[in-house]
Amino acid sequence: MADSPALKRKREEKGGENGSAKSQNEGPTSGNFPLAELSVMKVLRESAREKAIFLHGRVNSASGDKTDAVVILEKIPFQEENITELLKKHIGLQLQMSNDIYSTYHLFLPPELNEIKTTVVYPATEKHLQKYLSRSVYLIQETGEDYKNITLPFIESQSISIQWVYNILEKKAEADRIVYENPDPINGFVLIPDFKWNQKQLEDLYLIAICHRRGIKSVRDLTAEHLPLLRNILKEGGLPRSHRPLHYQPSYFHLHVHFTALSYDAPGCSAERALLLSDVMYHLELDSQYYQKCPLTFPVRADEPC
């Protein structure tokens, strides 16, 4: 999968830059999370498919209080350019089973070739803990009236902050990670790598287009007025052979579009949550109020209000 023009352009622009905005606005623990001091309280969830584990931990603060954290440990994909080094530098090969021409081993690697991606939410609130907790999942169908009378009031009653989104848009954080930007305040957006992508290979490419315009919570707020914004995202994202869905319900309520490699079975992009950007645009061209009226089906975990 070749780099898009947008990605190439941004890499060329950043060739001699330091991307300094990141360090100016990060908290005192950024880049220095005391992982060794973490006491694991509970395994919130395991995912064999994603090769990830989600932990609830607590860290002793200077005052002696314990602060909650969510820590996600995830195996990263293999990188083709490192395969030869991986095979030559292994520190152990332990036979598990042998039968005729078939055998299985445990391969042990040196630390520099055995990276584990670690995502931290710290300090974490009860809502963060509940977000990652494993529960049974159900499909529900939401009408336009259900959204107005049930879902929207619930969304507005929640206190989960999306200040981190505004920090990206205002370049107070992660400015060095932005790979493309249309700065128009109404029809513009930034394109930024999702944390699910380690940016070392294109097979699992995952980018997020976040719109500059505030107040658009989800696809439910979209009308024909927003078509210029959506067209800009589709055209300027410039990613061939990519999947371009909007999620409903989204993981955070500020309009964003996912760009993933077609070959990548990305978490959250399954049929029950994903609305293709091109389909959304088509529906809005037919009926400006389409998403205010149509029923939408999405998964809800047990014990979640809906």
Side-chain angles (χ1 to χ4, degrees):
M1 184 177 187
D3 281 4
S4 71
L7 284 172
K8 287 181 178 176
R9 239 184 350 261
K10 193 64 182 180
R11 286 174 181 168
E12 289 168 0
E13 290 169 3
K14 292 172 66 176
E17 296 176 3
N18 296 320
S20 59
K22 182 178 180 181
S23 61
Q24 294 174 358
N25 295 280
E26 292 179 341
T29 59
S30 296
N32 193 29
F33 178 72
L35 188 63
E37 299 174 23
L38 184 78
S39 297
V40 176
M41 309 303 296
K42 183 177 183 178
V43 174
L44 297 172
R45 178 158 56 96
E46 293 182 76
S47 174
R49 174 175 168 267
E50 299 172 31
K51 294 182 174 57
I53 189 168
F54 301 73
L55 306 174
H56 168 204
R58 283 188 180 148
V59 178
N60 283 319
S61 66
S63 65
D65 296 331
K66 291 184 180 293
T67 305
D68 286 313
V70 173
V71 176
I72 305 169
L73 304 177
E74 180 182 357
K75 290 284 190 179
I76 65 170
F78 288 104
Q79 298 161 44
E80 185 175 348
E81 63 272 20
N82 291 342
I83 293 299
T84 300
E85 184 181 16
L86 182 151
L87 296 176
K88 288 183 176 179
K89 291 188 175 180
H90 73 272
I91 57 178
L93 187 65
Q94 189 176 86
L95 178 67
Q96 299 299 301
M97 182 278 294
S98 180
N99 185 351
D100 193 29
I101 63 172
Y102 302 100
S103 54
T104 59
Y105 298 83
H106 282 175
L107 178 66
F108 299 92
L109 303 174
E112 65 272 16
L113 296 174
N114 199 23
E115 178 183 345
I116 294 179
K117 178 184 169 186
T118 305
T119 303
V120 176
V121 181
Y122 177 74
T125 67
E126 181 62 27
K127 286 187 173 67
H128 292 118
L129 299 178
Q130 293 301 315
K131 174 181 177 180
Y132 294 105
L133 187 63
S134 178
R135 294 196 187 103
S136 299
V137 178
Y138 303 90
L139 280 179
I140 69 167
Q141 187 177 75
E142 174 194 84
T143 66
E145 288 301 311
D146 290 336
Y147 176 76
K148 293 174 188 175
N149 299 326
I150 302 172
T151 307
L152 182 58
F154 173 72
I155 293 169
E156 293 175 339
S157 72
Q158 298 303 290
S159 58
I160 292 182
S161 171
I162 57 170
Q163 183 59 47
W164 64 273
V165 175
Y166 302 147
N167 287 345
I168 292 172
L169 296 175
E170 296 168 7
K171 300 185 179 64
K172 292 180 179 178
E174 303 186 49
D176 56 327
R177 300 182 69 244
I178 295 174
V179 298
Y180 179 80
E181 180 179 19
N182 178 329
D184 188 284
I186 302 299
N187 297 319
F189 65 97
V190 299
L191 194 63
I192 191 167
D194 188 278
F195 281 115
K196 298 180 186 71
W197 184 37
N198 64 9
Q199 302 178 61
K200 294 181 179 178
Q201 61 280 316
L202 294 176
E203 287 73 20
D204 60 339
L205 177 143
Y206 201 141
L207 295 164
I208 302 290
I210 305 175
C211 73
H212 276 297
R213 187 172 177 177
R214 302 190 185 189
I216 312 175
K217 294 182 179 66
S218 71
V219 68
R220 283 289 191 195
D221 290 333
L222 292 176
T223 66
E225 173 193 356
H226 303 107
L227 282 169
L229 165 63
L230 301 180
R231 290 188 184 113
N232 285 348
I233 292 175
L234 182 63
K235 180 180 178 181
E236 297 174 27
L239 296 169
R241 300 191 300 282
S242 65
H243 187 52
R244 307 174 182 100
L246 294 85
H247 289 173
Y248 192 79
Q249 289 184 353
S251 54
Y252 54 95
F253 285 91
H254 179 98
L255 187 73
H256 57 283
V257 179
H258 301 252
F259 285 79
T260 63
L262 279 176
S263 58
Y264 178 41
D265 186 15
C269 288
S270 50
E272 66 270 17
R273 280 191 73 193
L275 303 169
L276 291 180
L277 177 57
S278 56
D279 290 347
V280 170
M281 294 168 60
Y282 175 75
H283 290 141
L284 293 175
E285 288 166 351
L286 289 178
D287 182 351
S288 179
Q289 302 297 312
Y290 181 85
Y291 287 103
Q292 277 76 57
K293 298 181 293 188
C294 76
L296 292 174
T297 300
F298 57 90
V300 173
R301 296 191 298 170
D303 301 326
E304 274 188 344
C306 57

